[in-house]
Amino acid sequence: MKFLFRSTVIFLLSLLIFSCTSVDSGKKFKEPELSLIFAGDIMAHTPNFSMKDFSIIWDDIREEVSDCDIAFANIEAPVDDSIPFESYPTFNMNSSYPIEAIKAGFNLFSLANNHTNDKGSSGIQATAKWAARIENETRHGVRPVYFSGLQEKNDFSYRTFYFGQWKILFIAATELLNTWANYSEINYYAPNQKGRTGFLNRVKTLKEKENCDLFIVSIHTSESEYVLTVEPKVNQFYHDLLENGADIVVSNHPHVIRPVEFIGSNSDNKIRKVIMYANGNTISSQRRKLDFENPAEIWQYTGDGELVKLILKFDENGFYLSEKNIQYITTYSNGNDLVIRKLNETFFNELDSDGKSKLSKYFRERKKLLENIKGIYTWQ
């Protein structure tokens, strides 16, 4: 009996020590890497929402998106099931459309853009209720979904969440609205010195409050659409966001691809900050006609987007960029449907095999033009 008692005590003590050790090491543990993918604008014009099956839109990029831990996109419309789909100039989506993006793997969304209040306060509130329901339904699942961009309790909404032991902070805001109506219900600030300074202070305060490992900021920029270059004052503002605590800034609104800037540290030669100035249209029908004679015409860019994949690792100074990849994509008319296709040899060869050499030549040229939008490398 003494032996049995002593063995039992040793066993229980071993469990206690092991348990305490596991908890302590768990607090220090970081996932070996974090993978993120950033898309652009999810739009629904009449040809898009007239499709019978929205799921096929995402088939060609489903694997890339779902394989990443975090996948971001901007939903460029209210989401209100009480009214029909509506196209430009005052958009509305039914939830069946963005739901398929979620099923494809997207799990981080901005709801703040110039079309957020297209359907007034009722559209904003419907969107907020839908987003809250999705967050609640996925909260305890294998791939929770998060939204930011609509105000909550009369203040800017933001989200904090964990991947392993990485604490991630996310906020989405817009500095552009098509109408002033109901602006107080949206994460909106004016694109002037006062407004941008206020948002910089908000970012700094959030960083200090949340003490996160990674801070992602989404901005719907107040710049001209269909322009490939970045305004100097916008470039400076985004760098100011980094100085005030942001790690990754992803910007949208131009509906064309702009450069990605990688900011590195001279002290250790590691990339530690990233700015995406615009990732173009992930899905839309803005490019209503292909210009085979002039594929470089600016409107042709509205049919294309990019998926910016970042692999992050962690060291004593925070995260750093371990790997990166940019996949160019296009909205392609597949009979009566508009789907996303990767601009790669598989797609081009498929077109050639189907006797569509004219299309193949056009999309090959589109890829070359997108590749000419070179990344920016800044060392500090």
Side-chain angles (χ1 to χ4, degrees), residues 44-51 54 87 284-285 288 336-338:
H45 298 84
T46 301
N48 303 109
F49 61 68
S50 297
M51 293 173 55
F54 299 142
S87 188
S284 77
S285 62
R288 293 182 290 271
N336 294 322
D337 298 321
L338 292 174

Side-chain angles (χ1 to χ4, degrees), residues 169 201 203-212 215 244:
L169 174 59
N201 291 335
V203 165
K204 182 177 181 181
T205 299
L206 278 177
K207 176 70 172 183
E208 294 170 350
K209 174 186 175 183
E210 297 296 340
N211 190 29
C212 59
F215 192 175
N244 281 272

Side-chain angles (χ1 to χ4, degrees), residues 11 36 42 141 204-205 264 292 309 312 327 332 343 374:
F11 176 72
L36 307 97
I42 295 176
K204 182 177 181 181
T205 299
F292 294 102
K309 183 177 181 179
L312 308 182
Q327 172 66 62
Y332 173 64
L343 290 173
K374 301 296 184 182

